[in-house]
Amino acid sequence: MATIIAQKPSIQLEGYPIYTEISDIVYEQLVNSNNKYVQIDSSAHSITIKRSFFKKNKQVQNVTRFFIEANEEEVIIYSPIKNSDILLNSSFDDSLIESNFKNKTIAIILESPHIDEYESNAEKLIPIGPAQGQTGKKIEKNIEKLIERLRDFHVIEDNHLYRINIINAVNFQTSLHYIHEKPLNNYYRELRDKIWLKMWSEIPQIKNEFLKHTSSLKKGSIIINACPKSLKPFVNLEFIQNINKYHLFESNHPTSTENWVDSLFKIN
């Protein structure tokens, strides 16, 4: 008598052939969402995330959030002037990143936008900006402390005007929260990581855009990988070629229970 082996549920991105296994719980929730961005193949026990979910108009833009100037006595923080209607709903005075900035940059790298980075709209996914909500608040609250910590590592040049950029390695909502509306618990954190890795590895322009930005920074700039621990290695791998050009750091994600600045350490 033949044994029937149940097919494990899987997920793929429309237009990309790789199927990735997901849990039964996540599969059922995505099926039951009846979301317009999800295509179900019940016979294959598979889900396809439609291409419209990761079109350019769903992309959260990377930004310059602060300018800072520091010396032994003080840290002066400036806000940029908003330069795009795309960022009008940001909780911060963000500006789109200018490619011709002549000074050094402090780039804070996050993994991808989540809930607060999009407008609450049942009809469509509308980007706001990176690091909104608690992520943005905790970054803002600790900017002065961050600069003091970087001074301890002797990587801050006195009286030099730095810009602080907030960069998502993947600019789309890899948590798929808009579809399933569930908290980022173990099942959905695992889903976030799997979708993040699929987009990072399967959609060439995502990684290319990230590398185009980071490789254009002025020598001596500071890059802080504040992605979740599970995704840090994939981002760090891309910095090997620039190991002698930038000061490379890791930290906890800004929303971690420990103050993210206290976890800062240099990796080169």
Side-chain angles (χ1 to χ4, degrees):
M1 182 176 177
T3 302
I4 298 174
I5 300 174
Q7 194 166 6
K8 293 184 177 180
S10 63
I11 195 166
Q12 72 170 149
L13 307 175
E14 184 180 12
Y16 299 89
I18 299 174
Y19 286 86
T20 299
E21 187 179 311
I22 57 175
S23 74
D24 291 300
I25 290 174
V26 169
Y27 174 79
E28 292 299 330
Q29 187 60 48
L30 292 174
V31 169
N32 293 335
S33 72
N34 294 315
N35 191 277
K36 65 181 180 180
Y37 294 117
V38 171
Q39 182 176 311
I40 311 296
D41 184 344
S42 300
S43 61
H45 219 199
S46 69
I47 287 174
T48 299
I49 303 301
K50 293 182 181 178
R51 192 186 297 271
S52 53
F53 189 80
F54 48 94
K55 285 175 64 177
K56 199 167 184 65
N57 65 348
K58 307 297 192 304
Q59 196 174 39
V60 171
Q61 298 297 311
N62 297 322
V63 300
T64 296
R65 181 152 296 173
F66 309 103
F67 292 96
I68 69 98
E69 200 169 349
N71 55 47
E72 291 183 1
E73 283 76 38
E74 61 181 348
V75 176
I76 304 170
I77 303 170
Y78 309 93
S79 294
I81 298 172
K82 288 194 177 188
N83 61 2
S84 173
D85 290 346
I86 296 173
L87 302 169
L88 284 179
N89 292 324
S90 175
S91 301
F92 305 91
D93 293 326
D94 292 336
S95 66
L96 293 178
I97 294 170
E98 296 181 2
S99 58
N100 59 349
F101 188 68
K102 303 300 183 186
N103 287 15
K104 297 173 185 176
T105 296
I106 300 170
I108 300 173
I109 311 298
L110 304 173
E111 78 287 1
S112 56
H114 186 38
I115 304 171
D116 296 321
E117 288 68 46
Y118 294 87
E119 291 184 24
S120 179
N121 187 312
E123 297 301 318
K124 55 184 176 179
L125 197 60
I126 304 173
I128 297 174
Q132 304 292 302
Q134 284 301 309
T135 303
K137 289 175 184 176
K138 289 189 174 185
I139 290 174
E140 182 180 48
K141 180 181 178 181
N142 290 284
I143 283 299
E144 188 168 341
K145 185 174 183 179
L146 171 65
I147 302 308
E148 290 169 355
R149 288 281 289 132
L150 291 172
R151 283 180 61 82
D152 291 341
F153 287 99
H154 308 290
V155 296
I156 291 289
E157 184 179 330
D158 280 352
N159 303 312
H160 182 88
L161 183 67
Y162 289 81
R163 65 178 176 179
I164 298 181
N165 290 350
I166 311 293
I167 309 294
N168 278 305
V170 174
N171 293 85
F172 299 99
Q173 192 191 66
T174 61
S175 65
L176 306 187
H177 180 270
Y178 184 80
I179 296 173
H180 58 70
E181 299 183 333
K182 296 296 181 182
L184 204 61
N185 63 16
N186 290 341
Y187 290 113
Y188 294 97
R189 188 175 295 111
E190 180 184 51
L191 176 68
R192 188 262 330 262
D193 288 358
K194 287 182 174 181
I195 297 298
W196 186 96
L197 191 53
K198 286 179 75 62
M199 290 189 174
W200 182 251
S201 59
E202 294 177 31
I203 306 177
Q205 62 265 33
I206 288 180
K207 189 188 293 186
N208 290 344
E209 284 183 18
F210 175 76
L211 294 177
K212 181 180 178 181
H213 173 73
T214 54
S215 63
S216 69
L217 300 179
K218 185 178 176 65
K219 185 175 182 179
S221 290
I222 297 162
I223 297 177
I224 302 170
N225 183 352
C227 295
K229 185 178 180 179
S230 54
L231 300 174
K232 270 184 170 62
F234 301 104
V235 175
N236 281 343
L237 189 63
E238 302 304 324
F239 293 143
I240 290 175
Q241 60 186 329
N242 292 316
I243 201 162
N244 295 317
K245 184 178 179 182
Y246 304 130
H247 301 292
L248 303 176
F249 288 82
E250 281 189 3
S251 77
N252 290 345
H253 191 276
T255 58
S256 63
T257 51
E258 178 190 357
N259 187 304
W260 69 282
V261 173
D262 291 337
S263 68
L264 194 73
F265 72 94
K266 200 168 190 296
I267 59 177
N268 69 334

